[in-house]
Amino acid sequence: MLVVSEEVREALAARRPVVALESTIVAHGLPRPHDLRVALELEEAVRQEGAVPATIAVPDGRLHIGLDRKRLERVTGAEGIRKLGHRDLPLALAVGASGATTVSATAQPAATAGIRVFATGGPGGVHREWTAAQDESADLRLPARTRITVVCAGVKSILDVPATLQRLETLGVAVAGYGTDRFPGFRLSDSGHPVDWTLRTPEEVAAVMRAQDALRGPEPALIVAHPVPKEEQLDPELHARVLAEALRGSARPAARTAKAWVRR
């Protein structure tokens, strides 16, 4: 049920760099035909840096690590492509379903195949008002027991960022800013919260990965938070205003539902 592409298999055997990529970010995060275009651009960006891309997905009930053009088109263009978290993988494989993998469903198969670096936009985290809903992404728990380095742009600003950082600390997941002492906010260079550690070169990141292996303890991930350049980030004032409006808008239906249940 696990299929490693020939290109990825040869690169791993030759100890050449391989970077895992999730597929949900394009299959469910972008409209057509932009999804396929961005998927190809992501792979090309990895190639330009001298590494082999390994986009992970489940076309037709088989978990593929590394997709050819035909399967990439299938995952981004076909109807009925499911969004698969780690808990969904055995079900999808057993019934022959097709799906795109989230962060949690990408990290573990990548690590199983021997891939140590995974690049994504922004993993999930602790949702706002967690004390009421207890809504927390599986993107947090799986990296707590998966030895892989996740390079990302922080977490999405719709989440409870300080609670997410606290949860990562509790789970033993190391977090470092890449070239910054601030934790980025996905489309913002700075989420408003600091990080305890700063790494400034690929060599420093690699040194941390080697130290993780040498310690031979629990096997949590390393999160390397690489901020979007300030000149390319969303306007922070516009971002804050739109986010506040969206949060107020989402709170109104919830309040109406709660009142309806009270009346019953």
Side-chain angles (χ1 to χ4, degrees):
M1 294 183 179
L2 178 64
V3 182
V4 181
S5 74
E6 182 178 359
E7 181 185 25
V8 172
R9 190 168 59 250
E10 290 177 351
L12 291 172
R15 299 183 65 82
R16 291 188 285 118
V18 179
V19 177
L21 301 171
E22 64 163 299
S23 46
T24 287
I25 194 171
V26 288
H28 293 280
L30 296 168
R32 299 174 190 167
H34 304 292
D35 48 3
L36 177 61
R37 176 179 60 80
V38 172
L40 293 170
E41 288 177 353
L42 292 173
E43 291 199 343
E44 181 58 28
V46 172
R47 295 186 191 282
Q48 288 179 358
E49 296 300 324
V52 172
T55 301
I56 296 178
V58 182
D60 303 312
R62 303 187 76 187
L63 179 58
H64 282 257
I65 299 179
L67 300 179
D68 57 22
R69 174 67 181 255
K70 181 179 179 180
R71 290 190 176 92
L72 196 58
E73 290 178 351
R74 167 117 172 76
V75 170
T76 58
E79 298 290 342
I81 297 296
R82 289 175 174 266
K83 181 178 180 180
L84 303 177
H86 182 255
R87 66 169 190 170
D88 303 308
L89 286 180
L91 295 161
L93 298 181
V95 304
S98 295
T101 55
T102 63
V103 168
S104 66
T106 301
Q108 193 274 331
T112 299
I115 300 172
R116 286 296 302 272
V117 178
F118 167 36
T120 185
V126 177
H127 288 246
R128 293 170 187 255
E129 299 185 1
W130 181 90
T131 53
Q134 297 193 357
D135 190 355
E136 176 184 305
S137 173
D139 292 353
L140 291 179
R141 286 187 173 271
L142 193 74
R145 57 181 187 271
T146 304
R147 179 55 53 80
I148 196 165
T149 295
V150 181
V151 182
C152 63
V155 297
K156 301 172 183 68
S157 56
I158 59 173
L159 300 172
D160 187 329
V161 177
T164 298
L165 290 171
Q166 180 61 52
R167 189 74 175 120
L168 288 169
E169 179 183 348
T170 300
L171 293 170
V173 179
V175 178
Y178 189 78
T180 180
D181 61 357
R182 309 294 296 175
F183 190 69
F186 195 46
R187 289 187 170 88
L188 298 177
S189 300
D190 184 354
S191 68
H193 302 278
V195 290
D196 294 328
W197 298 93
T198 299
L199 301 173
R200 301 193 180 279
T201 65
E203 290 76 15
E204 288 187 348
V205 176
V208 175
M209 295 167 65
R210 287 194 295 269
Q212 284 182 316
D213 292 341
L215 289 171
R216 296 182 178 275
E219 297 200 346
L222 165 66
I223 293 181
V224 179
H226 190 348
V228 63
K230 287 186 178 180
E231 62 273 15
E232 297 179 16
Q233 70 174 343
L234 287 180
D235 176 66
E237 291 186 2
L238 174 62
H239 175 275
R241 186 174 72 251
V242 171
L243 178 59
E245 291 173 354
L247 291 173
R248 286 195 297 270
S250 64
R252 285 193 290 269
R256 287 196 295 269
T257 300
K259 290 178 181 178
W261 277 105
V262 170
R263 285 197 294 272
R264 290 179 186 179

